Amino acid sequence: MTAFVAELVGTALLIIFGGGVCAGVNLKKSFAQNSGWIVITMGWGLAVAVAAYAVGQFSGAHLNPALTLALAFNGDFPWADVPKYIAAQMLGAMIGAVIVYLHYLPHWKETDDPGAKLGVFATSPAVPNYFANLISEIIGTFVLVLGILAIGANKFADGLNPFIVGFLIVAIGLSLGGTTGYAINPARDLGPRIVHFLLPIPKKGSSNWPYAWVPVVGPILGGSFGGLFYKAVFLGKMTAAFWYVLIAIIVVLALTFISQGKTSNSYNKAKNAFM
């Protein structure tokens, strides 16, 4: 199996299990309906573990563009292979989303809430606020990459690493996921969101494209900085990239804050004009 096929298959498995648990909890007349956040976080944790077990020996089981970029910034992964890995991850995520759609085929018509349907495919903020939502995704993915690298530095019995990483995903979901649904993976969110847009789902509503950049940009910035932070603080190897990514985070957050303030002011002025 080539690394491209491994990342494609692994990311598809990730979405089949992860998107599948969201479908089971969100969609009407599923036996798992309303089983709650703990079930979702456990489902995603096990999804990561199974996908990593399946393809880790072939590609390293990145399954996430944010992790791929973090390893490239760290010098642990060749930049020449980054486009190939990200393309495979995006395609795999889309395939996985289509499989989830087919598996739950009769349940889409039974479910009236378009937000519940979108939640099977992509994340949404509990409180819409681009600045705060972006911070959440940066922090979540920072912890993800830092945690993966820290876990990799420890010795476990053979084959246990993916299982421990799965529990890291559960911990992030339980502790940090309540704000944005913890995408922490651009492919996991963007690929299925595209599929949601394309598929003939009854009364599906909007794919929420105005928000779609947050679970892409946030994880890329947070993951990249997480890898560079680990290298600088844990290994004592400071690089110029550490400061470049940190500055990029500050600039993007500042621009988001300013832009959000202008948007909010424009909305309030328009609202007052009609009152």
Side-chain angles (χ1 to χ4, degrees), residues 79-126:
W79 278 102
D81 289 341
V82 168
K84 174 177 69 176
Y85 266 56
I86 293 178
Q89 292 154 3
M90 282 293 298
L91 185 57
M94 295 176 72
I95 292 171
V98 171
I99 292 172
V100 171
Y101 164 75
L102 293 173
H103 183 82
Y104 283 92
L105 195 58
H107 295 266
W108 304 106
K109 189 175 181 180
E110 299 289 340
T111 305
D112 296 324
D113 183 3
K117 296 173 186 178
L118 177 60
V120 174
F121 296 90
T123 61
S124 297

Side-chain angles (χ1 to χ4, degrees), residues 40-56:
I40 289 177
T41 58
M42 286 298 298
W44 275 105
L46 292 172
V48 169
V50 171
Y53 275 123
V55 304

Side-chain angles (χ1 to χ4, degrees), residues 149-197:
L149 294 174
I151 288 168
N154 288 273
K155 293 186 180 296
F156 295 94
D158 289 345
L160 272 183
N161 282 60
F163 189 65
I164 303 302
V165 171
F167 273 105
L168 171 63
I169 302 299
V170 174
I172 292 172
L174 292 175
S175 301
L176 305 173
T179 54
T180 61
Y182 73 122
I184 60 175
N185 181 339
R188 167 265 178 275
D189 192 275
L190 182 58
R193 194 183 297 269
I194 292 171
V195 170
H196 174 271
F197 175 76

Side-chain angles (χ1 to χ4, degrees), residues 64 66 129-147 172 176 179-180 182-186 211 213-227 229 245-257:
N64 183 342
N129 181 307
Y130 289 163
F131 178 71
N133 303 150
L134 188 61
I135 290 175
S136 289
E137 286 295 331
I138 289 172
I139 292 172
T141 319
F142 173 88
V143 172
L144 170 68
V145 172
L146 187 67
I172 292 172
L176 305 173
T179 54
T180 61
Y182 73 122
I184 60 175
N185 181 339
Y211 177 75
W213 68 274
V214 173
V216 173
V217 174
I220 288 173
L221 292 174
S224 298
F225 188 64
F229 181 89
V245 173
L246 178 59
I247 291 170
I249 290 172
I250 294 170
V251 169
V252 171
L253 284 173
L255 290 174
T256 303
F257 183 80

